[in-house]
Amino acid sequence: MSGKINRRDFLKVVGVSAIGAAAAGTGHIRAMDGDHGTSTQEGGMDWQTMNEHHQMGIQTFLDNIGKDPIFWRPPMEYTMDGDVKVFDLVVSQIDWETEPGKVFPAFAYNGIVPGPEIRVTEGDRVRINVTNELPDQSTAVHWHGLIVPNNMDGVPFITQPPIDPGMTFTYEFTVRNFGSHMYHSHHNSAEQTTRGLLGAFVVDPLDKSREPEVDGDYTLILNDSALGFTLNGKSFPYTQPIVANLGDRIRIRYMNEGLMIHPMHLHGMPQMVIAKDGFYLPVPYMCDTLNIAPGERYDVVVDCTEPGVWAFHCHILSHAESRDGMFGMVTALVVNE
Ligand SMILES: [Cu+2]
């Protein structure tokens, strides 16, 4: 998967080789004015050190490609009971690494943040057994975007009692509407959801006539606050890129489970927005930066017409880059020739 990307090509694309050449005194980046010596800037880091930190992050990202097999969550396994698809979700407290050595006390569905992706087809009957193994918090699960009976909506004291520690609550409903949806805690949710009780609930339509034919289908869950700025539970440089071949058409399903807006900017190629909150748009539209607010889902299609490694990040820059280099909500689209 990463075989076609080498360091030289990657650095060429992101421009680090030019910075390196300039540092060696052979490049064509010239000082425009004033003092460009090695004096320490505000923040206690000289520019050479800043370059090194940035370059190290990029190298770590490159070296880590393909090393997180569940970054793009595989569909969750289920069992059949008659014609009912039965899923089991266990809520527990774990230590979650958004990057090696950066460990947060987190909450998880089935031990991972985000939880496993539930993927079914419009019209399916589903049963989801939710067992709460948190030591000291009750919880509940809301099926965000799905049209369900009121008593399955997952809001404690409105539609059900909370699921106390040690208890199991069973949700069962027929999946009536397709699209890119989510599931998450709806109890103490500012804490529980941002600490990890979130996941994708993707429903394929029965009528595929408006579905784009794609070479790859990627769910990208945005989160912030309790675990920092993450994409699918990881922070750059430990996020994974989307790897495509020239000419591929890919689909990205953005889901924002955080507390902040995140305008996701893809370099190199436009994004065609085809659906909002699971509903097809009457007319798709093109953009290069797509703002995704908490609770929103957007489906986009990208035609991979431009070879190279293209930066792909939240454009609230403080969610993506610091003096120490890129961090948080940054990944890449790799288009192999
Ligand atoms: Cu952001």
Side-chain angles (χ1 to χ4, degrees):
M1 163 175 175
S2 63
K4 287 187 180 174
I5 315 156
N6 60 42
R7 179 171 178 273
R8 182 178 51 86
D9 287 350
F10 185 88
L11 298 181
K12 188 172 63 185
V13 169
V14 299
V16 175
S17 59
I19 294 169
T26 59
H28 49 264
I29 298 175
R30 295 187 194 284
M32 299 301 286
D33 56 19
D35 175 13
H36 289 267
T38 58
S39 62
T40 299
Q41 301 182 36
E42 183 189 346
M45 189 190 299
D46 61 47
W47 58 266
Q48 292 92 338
T49 307
M50 191 190 289
N51 286 354
E52 281 166 23
H53 284 217
H54 277 66
Q55 188 172 8
M56 271 178 353
I58 303 294
Q59 190 58 49
T60 301
F61 177 75
L62 274 182
D63 292 343
N64 193 53
I65 292 176
K67 293 186 181 164
D68 182 353
I70 62 160
F71 182 83
W72 307 110
R73 294 281 184 273
M76 185 177 172
E77 300 199 351
Y78 55 85
T79 57
M80 295 300 296
D81 178 12
D83 57 2
V84 181
K85 291 181 175 175
V86 182
F87 297 86
D88 292 303
L89 287 177
V90 176
V91 184
S92 68
Q93 188 169 308
I94 62 163
D95 289 329
W96 181 254
E97 280 192 332
T98 58
E99 56 189 270
K102 201 164 185 181
V103 181
F104 292 89
F107 297 148
Y109 294 120
N110 295 4
I112 52 175
V113 178
E117 179 164 309
I118 296 174
R119 185 139 192 172
V120 297
T121 302
E122 179 187 5
D124 281 352
R125 183 83 180 166
V126 297
R127 180 182 307 145
I128 302 149
N129 303 309
V130 179
T131 299
N132 181 9
E133 293 186 353
L134 293 177
D136 56 8
Q137 290 205 31
S138 46
T139 192
V141 181
H142 170 60
W143 315 98
H144 184 107
L146 291 159
I147 298 170
V148 297
N150 182 254
N151 63 356
M152 294 288 109
D153 197 42
V155 184
F157 305 112
I158 293 185
T159 63
Q160 67 167 88
I163 312 170
D164 291 335
M167 303 301 287
T168 297
F169 188 92
T170 297
Y171 297 88
E172 183 166 333
F173 50 87
T174 299
V175 177
R176 291 164 59 189
N177 57 315
F178 62 83
S180 300
H181 305 304
M182 307 190 288
Y183 65 98
H184 57 223
S185 167
H186 212 295
H187 192 56
N188 185 24
S189 56
E191 178 187 356
Q192 290 193 5
T193 299
T194 60
R195 281 180 74 179
L197 295 184
L198 59 136
F201 196 125
V202 176
V203 183
D204 292 313
L206 282 171
D207 175 5
K208 301 267 200 282
S209 62
R210 290 195 62 187
E211 288 285 282
E213 274 190 35
V214 293
D215 302 292
D217 186 341
Y218 300 88
T219 298
L220 202 55
I221 300 182
L222 321 176
N223 196 14
D224 55 57
S225 305
L227 308 183
F229 295 107
T230 58
L231 302 173
N232 288 357
K234 295 290 178 182
S235 296
F236 186 89
Y238 290 90
T239 51
Q240 291 291 318
I242 293 172
V243 180
N245 293 315
L246 190 63
D248 279 359
R249 170 171 267 206
I250 59 166
R251 177 178 189 157
I252 303 165
R253 302 169 189 265
Y254 296 110
M255 306 183 176
N256 187 347
E257 286 278 24
L259 308 182
M260 306 173 189
I261 57 169
H262 300 292
M264 292 300 294
H265 176 53
L266 173 63
H267 292 214
M269 285 146 283
Q271 314 182 52
M272 181 173 70
V273 186
I274 61 167
K276 161 80 163 80
D277 299 342
F279 300 104
Y280 293 127
L281 299 183
V283 180
Y285 65 92
M286 309 298 286
C287 65
D288 59 45
T289 306
L290 183 62
N291 195 24
I292 300 130
E296 289 187 319
R297 290 89 62 213
Y298 281 95
D299 288 31
V300 304
V301 164
V302 176
D303 284 315
C304 300
T305 56
E306 310 303 315
V309 181
W310 299 100
F312 184 16
H313 60 93
C314 174
H315 216 293
I316 294 179
L317 299 175
S318 54
H319 300 177
E321 193 161 40
S322 74
R323 282 175 172 267
D324 280 327
M326 291 195 283
F327 74 98
M329 306 180 109
V330 178
T331 183
L333 170 60
V334 179
V335 180
N336 287 317
E337 283 189 80

